[in-house]
Amino acid sequence: MKSIISNGIYLNGKIYKFIISQIICDAPAKAFILNVKSFNAYHSCNSCIDEGTFINGRMSFLGVSSPLRTDDSFRSKKDEDYHKGPSPLEEFSINLVSTVVLDYMHNVCLGVMKRLLTF
């Protein structure tokens, strides 16, 4: 796979290059491919380094000025409580924090829309 991204594919006399611009998956799959704590763990925020608080059966991240995760901090595994081990995506020269995006379904459809409909 890594050679396809760096060299492309030669087909019918043309070379087709590939670029990974986004990796989109739901929250459990994102935790799996990044090899980090699941979305409901205390140290599981994908955007910042904040310890969650368990409130009314839900994990909540209350910090509004927590340090943000960067590609360098992810690759060096600065937050030991967040990482479970190396990710297979670390082989690629992509920004792991901004390329593996937050998923729309879990963040908007299942969270916000449910509340809006309830109200």
Side-chain angles (χ1 to χ4, degrees):
M1 179 76 157
K2 191 174 180 182
S3 65
I4 291 174
I5 292 172
S6 59
N7 301 327
I9 293 179
Y10 183 77
L11 184 66
N12 295 330
K14 289 186 177 183
I15 296 177
Y16 294 92
K17 296 282 185 177
F18 290 89
I19 298 171
I20 298 175
S21 63
Q22 302 267 295
I23 298 173
I24 303 168
C25 48
D26 67 355
K30 181 177 181 177
F32 178 74
I33 65 168
L34 290 176
N35 200 14
V36 295
K37 298 282 176 80
S38 185
F39 62 93
N40 56 356
Y42 282 100
H43 296 272
S44 63
C45 181
N46 294 307
S47 301
C48 67
I49 302 168
D50 188 17
E51 183 174 352
T53 306
F54 199 70
I55 302 172
N56 295 330
R58 292 185 177 89
M59 188 57 62
S60 302
F61 297 95
L62 306 174
V64 293
S65 60
S66 299
L68 296 177
R69 293 193 190 282
T70 63
D71 188 53
D72 291 334
S73 70
F74 186 93
R75 290 178 186 274
S76 65
K77 296 177 183 41
K78 239 180 191 176
D79 186 3
E80 296 172 358
D81 296 320
Y82 177 64
H83 295 275
K84 295 183 346 186
S87 169
L89 296 178
E90 290 180 42
E91 290 181 32
F92 302 107
S93 60
I94 58 174
N95 185 324
L96 293 169
V97 175
S98 63
T99 303
V100 186
V101 296
L102 297 171
D103 71 301
Y104 172 77
M105 181 183 79
H106 282 92
N107 288 310
V108 177
C109 297
L110 297 178
V112 175
M113 287 306 295
K114 183 177 178 181
R115 286 183 181 239
L116 287 173
L117 293 171
T118 303
F119 291 138

